[in-house]
C-alpha cells in the first residue's frame, strides 16, 4: 500500500510460515503484526521457540497470533492423539509451548478471544472445518456454527486459520475448502472490516463481498516455500469523546 493515512493503524498480515526461513521474508513497516496460524510444521517445542524468537525480534508495537491445524501442541484436546501420528517422540508439554509464545515480546495469543488495538477490536480463533486429522478440527454444520457464534458482533478484524467459503479458499484441486457457516456469520451478523486467514496456501490474496475485505495471507506456497509477501491494510481507530471539529 501507499503511505499510511494520518492516525490510521497499519496491520501487516502473514500466515502459514511453517517455520520456513523467516529471516528471508521482507517485513514491511506497520503497527500490528497479525499471524493467522500454522507457524510450525507440527508444533514441536523447538519450532515454537524459533517462532517466538522471530516474533520478539519484530519491531511492531503489537503482535497478534493464532494457532493453526499444524500447531499440534496448541490444541490440548487433540494432542493426546496427534503427537504419535505426527512423529513426536513423546507428548511434549503443551502449556510450556503456549507459554513460550505468550511470553515473547509484545505477543498476544488469541484463542476464541479478542483484544483491542486503540479501540479496534481484533478477534482470533484457530478452528476450521475438518481437514485430515490435525489440530483444531470441527465437523461442518452445528459445531462450526456454535464456534462462529462466539465471534463478538463488534469485531472489526476477525482472524481465523481457515477461510470463509468463496474467499481465499480455492484449492489447487479446484474445490473450495472454505466454511459456509463462517461466511454466514460474518456476512449476516459480524460484518467486520477485515477477515484474515491462511490455511489454503494456494489461495493467497485479497477478495471482497462489498462489505468485508477477505485476506488470505499464506506466506508459504503449496510447496511450503515462503514466497508470498505480507499483506497490509490500514484501519482508522474510532474517535474518542464527544467532540467534533
Ligand atoms: Mn499451512
Ligand atoms: Mn492449515
Amino acid at each position: 500500500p501507499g503511505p499510511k493515512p494520518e492516525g490510521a493503524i497499519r496491520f501487516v498480515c502473514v500466515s502459514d510460515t511453517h517455520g520456513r526461513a523467516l529471516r528471508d521474508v521482507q517485513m514491511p513497516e506497520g503497527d500490528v503484526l497479525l499471524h493467522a496460524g500454522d507457524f510450525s510444521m507440527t508444533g514441536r517445542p523447538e519450532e515454537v521457540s524459533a517462532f517466538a524468537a522471530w516474533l520478539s525480534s519484530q519491531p511492531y508495537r503489537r503482535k497478534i497470533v493464532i494457532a493453526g491445524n499444524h500447531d499440534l501442541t496448541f490444541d490440548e484436546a487433540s494432542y493426546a492423539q496427534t503427537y504419535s501420528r505426527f512423529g513426536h517422540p513423546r507428548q511434549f508439554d503443551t502449556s510450556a509451548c503456549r507459554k513460550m509464545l505468550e511470553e515473547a515480546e509484545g505477543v498476544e495469543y488469541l484463542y476464541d478471544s479478542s483484544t483491542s488495538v486503540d479501540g479496534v477490536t481484533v478477534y482470533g480463533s484457530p478452528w476450521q472445518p475438518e481437514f485430515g486429522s490435525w489440530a483444531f478440527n470441527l465437523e461442518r454444520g452445528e459445531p462450526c456454527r456454535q464456534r462462529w457464534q462466539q465471534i463478538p458482533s463488534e469485531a472489526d478484524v476477525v482472524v481465523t486459520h481457515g477461510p470463509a467459503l468463496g474467499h481465499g479458499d480455492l484449492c489447487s484441486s479446484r474445490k473450495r475448502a472454505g466454511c459456509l457457516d463462517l461466511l454466514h456469520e460474518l456476512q449476516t451478523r459480524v460484518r467486520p472490516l477485515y477477515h484474515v486467514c491462511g490455511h489454503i496456501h494456494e489461495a493467497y490474496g485479497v477478495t471482497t463481498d462489498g462489505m468485508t475485505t477477505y485476506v488470505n495471507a499464506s506466506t508459504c506456497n503449496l510447496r511450503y516455500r515462503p514466497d508470498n509477501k505480507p499483506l497490509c491494510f490500514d484501519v482508522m481507530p474510532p474517535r474518542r469523546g464527544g467532540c467534533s471539529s
Side-chain angles (χ1 to χ4, degrees), residues 91-164:
Q91 249 180 292
F92 294 115
D93 183 342
T94 53
S95 51
C97 286
R98 203 181 56 242
K99 229 173 151 197
M100 267 195 273
L101 193 61
E102 285 172 343
E103 287 176 0
E105 174 85 36
V107 169
E108 290 159 272
Y109 171 65
L110 297 186
Y111 178 92
D112 297 327
S113 58
S114 43
T115 187
S116 167
V117 181
D118 306 341
V120 175
T121 300
V122 181
Y123 181 85
S125 175
W127 299 94
Q128 94 251 261
E130 282 174 294
F131 190 83
S133 300
W134 298 75
F136 303 113
N137 277 305
L138 291 175
E139 266 178 67
R140 286 185 188 268
E142 197 52 33
C144 283
R145 272 197 290 283
Q146 282 179 12
R147 204 53 77 160
W148 309 138
Q149 280 164 5
Q150 295 177 33
I151 303 173
S153 301
E154 67 270 20
D156 302 300
V157 177
V158 174
V159 189
T160 62
H161 180 57

Side-chain angles (χ1 to χ4, degrees), residues 27-186:
M27 297 298 295
E29 271 182 40
D31 302 294
V32 183
L33 175 62
L34 284 185
H35 192 299
D38 277 6
F39 46 80
S40 71
M41 284 307 288
T42 63
R44 285 176 180 241
E46 63 269 25
E47 295 184 282
V48 179
S49 106
F51 178 59
W54 176 79
L55 280 176
S56 295
S57 75
Q58 293 301 311
Y60 305 95
R61 88 182 142 94
R62 305 282 291 270
K63 303 156 192 180
I64 299 171
V65 179
I66 63 166
N69 60 304
H70 274 255
D71 308 316
L72 303 179
T73 42
F74 286 71
D75 185 2
E76 278 170 47
S78 70
Y79 187 56
Q81 286 87 51
T82 53
Y83 84 95
S84 55
R85 199 173 329 124
F86 291 98
H88 290 195
R90 60 187 173 84
Q91 249 180 292
F92 294 115
D93 183 342
T94 53
S95 51
C97 286
R98 203 181 56 242
K99 229 173 151 197
M100 267 195 273
L101 193 61
E102 285 172 343
E103 287 176 0
E105 174 85 36
V107 169
E108 290 159 272
Y109 171 65
L110 297 186
Y111 178 92
D112 297 327
S113 58
S114 43
T115 187
S116 167
V117 181
D118 306 341
V120 175
T121 300
V122 181
Y123 181 85
S125 175
W127 299 94
Q128 94 251 261
E130 282 174 294
F131 190 83
S133 300
W134 298 75
F136 303 113
N137 277 305
L138 291 175
E139 266 178 67
R140 286 185 188 268
E142 197 52 33
C144 283
R145 272 197 290 283
Q146 282 179 12
R147 204 53 77 160
W148 309 138
Q149 280 164 5
Q150 295 177 33
I151 303 173
S153 301
E154 67 270 20
D156 302 300
V157 177
V158 174
V159 189
T160 62
H161 180 57
L165 184 67
H167 295 280
D169 71 332
L170 189 57
C171 302
S172 53
S173 65
R174 310 311 293 167
K175 280 186 184 158
R176 287 198 177 270
C179 182
L180 172 62
D181 295 299
L182 175 58
L183 180 73
H184 179 80
E185 210 62 25
L186 293 177

Side-chain angles (χ1 to χ4, degrees), residues 15-18 37-41 69-70 131 161 198-201 218 220-221 224:
S15 188
D16 298 77
T17 47
H18 288 290
D38 277 6
F39 46 80
S40 71
M41 284 307 288
N69 60 304
H70 274 255
F131 190 83
H161 180 57
H199 187 49
I200 306 299
H201 297 186
S218 293
C220 280
N221 64 17
Y224 289 84

Side-chain angles (χ1 to χ4, degrees), residues 19-27 50 54 57-58 226:
R20 302 297 152 134
L22 283 170
R23 62 188 172 277
D24 299 337
V25 178
Q26 293 287 322
M27 297 298 295
W54 176 79
S57 75
Q58 293 301 311

